[in-house]
């Protein structure tokens, strides 16, 4: 093998190794960027400051203050940037983030995401102080058995809105609310009502341009 060919092969192998091992300056975070913006799978801790909000954020007004909510994380403006804050007690969001846990504490249903607790509200779900019996919960699993795919390129925010509105419609139509223990009906009626609810959800979402499996 010619000397220049050997050098080329060696350099190429070194570049491949650098990519596979995740090393090298080429893989470093771009200067001036927030690490929380680079790692989309990482939820920033309280007090973290970011330059930009997630694209699917929602504006939540509470006590004359403006908050931003996305994926269970709460933000407040900080000059030209945004700071991650604890969930504001009493604030209401229209829909909970995926991954919440449904609990029954003292016979009442609660919804927990990380360390925050929510209860049902007429406008969605309200942040509350941790209940007194939070150390002794009983988990229940609201059925979320639908796999929904946007056919028309709906944004994440649009998808969340459509799912919530279809949930409200399906719940009103069937009398079954999957965010409550046994769907808010008698245990003996829970299974058939759940089937009706899922059918109604499917019909609503398909009418809005989604494929539902």
């Amino acid at each position: 093998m010619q000397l220049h060919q050997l050098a080329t092969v060696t350099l190429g192998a070194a570049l491949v190794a650098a990519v596979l091992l995740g090393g090298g300056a080429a893989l470093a975070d771009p200067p001036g960027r927030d690490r929380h913006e680079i790692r989309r799978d990482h939820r920033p801790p309280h007090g973290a400051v970011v330059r930009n909000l997630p694209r699917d954020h929602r504006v939540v007004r509470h006590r004359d203050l403006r908050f931003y909510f996305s994926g269970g994380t709460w933000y407040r403006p900080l000059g030209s940037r945004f700071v991650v804050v604890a969930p504001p007690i009493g604030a209401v969001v229209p829909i909970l983030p995926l991954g919440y846990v449904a609990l029954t504490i003292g016979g009442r249903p609660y919804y927990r995401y990380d360390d925050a607790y929510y209860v049902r509200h007429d406008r969605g779900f309200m942040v509350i102080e941790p209940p007194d019996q939070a150390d002794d919960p009983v988990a229940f699993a609201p059925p979320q058995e639908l796999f929904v795919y946007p056919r028309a390129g709906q944004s994440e925010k649009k998808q969340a809105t459509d799912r919530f509105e279809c949930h409200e419609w399906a719940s009103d139509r069937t009398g079954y609310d999957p965010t409550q223990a046994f769907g808010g009906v008698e245990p003996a009626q829970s299974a058939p009502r759940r089937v009706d609810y899922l059918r109604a959800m499917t019909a609503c979402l398909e009418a809005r341009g989604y494929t539902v499996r």
Side-chain angles (χ1 to χ4, degrees):
M1 180 181 295
Q2 298 294 327
L3 182 58
H4 72 278
Q5 292 177 320
L6 178 60
T8 300
V9 171
T10 302
L11 177 59
L15 290 173
V16 170
V19 171
L20 293 177
L21 294 175
L27 299 182
D29 291 341
R33 293 289 300 279
D34 290 291
R35 294 186 63 84
H36 301 304
E37 294 177 327
I38 302 300
R39 297 183 58 191
R40 295 181 181 274
D41 61 332
H42 175 68
R43 297 183 65 247
H46 296 169
V49 177
V50 298
R51 291 188 175 185
N52 300 306
L53 293 170
R55 288 183 298 176
D56 64 345
H57 73 271
R58 291 175 175 269
V59 178
V60 178
R61 294 186 179 275
H62 177 59
R63 295 181 178 175
D64 297 326
L65 298 175
R66 180 188 292 264
F67 293 88
Y68 304 93
F69 179 77
S70 173
T73 302
W74 290 83
Y75 304 84
R76 279 201 60 192
L78 183 66
S80 62
R81 300 193 180 192
F82 305 91
V83 61
V84 178
V85 297
I89 303 301
V92 178
V93 293
I95 192 168
L96 292 174
L98 295 177
Y100 71 87
V101 178
L103 304 169
T104 298
I105 302 174
R108 182 182 180 185
Y110 294 87
Y111 310 92
R112 187 182 69 202
Y113 188 84
D114 282 353
D115 295 330
Y117 283 82
Y118 299 79
V119 293
R120 287 284 298 178
H121 186 274
D122 57 3
R123 291 187 288 112
F125 299 86
M126 182 174 65
V127 182
I128 63 166
E129 295 280 3
D132 292 337
Q133 299 171 314
D135 293 333
D136 189 27
V138 177
F140 68 92
Q144 299 290 340
E145 300 179 0
L146 300 180
F147 295 90
V148 182
Y149 307 92
R151 291 199 309 262
Q154 295 93 328
S155 66
E156 292 182 6
K157 184 174 182 178
K158 174 64 172 171
Q159 292 177 49
T161 298
D162 286 341
R163 286 184 71 99
F164 175 72
E165 291 179 354
C166 283
H167 155 71
E168 291 284 282
W169 179 81
S171 182
D172 289 343
R173 184 178 179 87
T174 63
Y176 182 92
D177 185 349
T179 65
Q180 298 186 26
F182 300 108
V185 299
E186 293 296 325
Q189 294 295 318
S190 180
R193 290 286 189 90
R194 177 175 68 118
V195 172
D196 292 341
Y197 169 84
L198 293 176
R199 286 176 177 167
M201 276 285 291
T202 298
C204 179
L205 289 167
E206 288 181 342
R208 296 188 179 210
Y210 296 87
T211 298
V212 183
R213 294 287 184 263

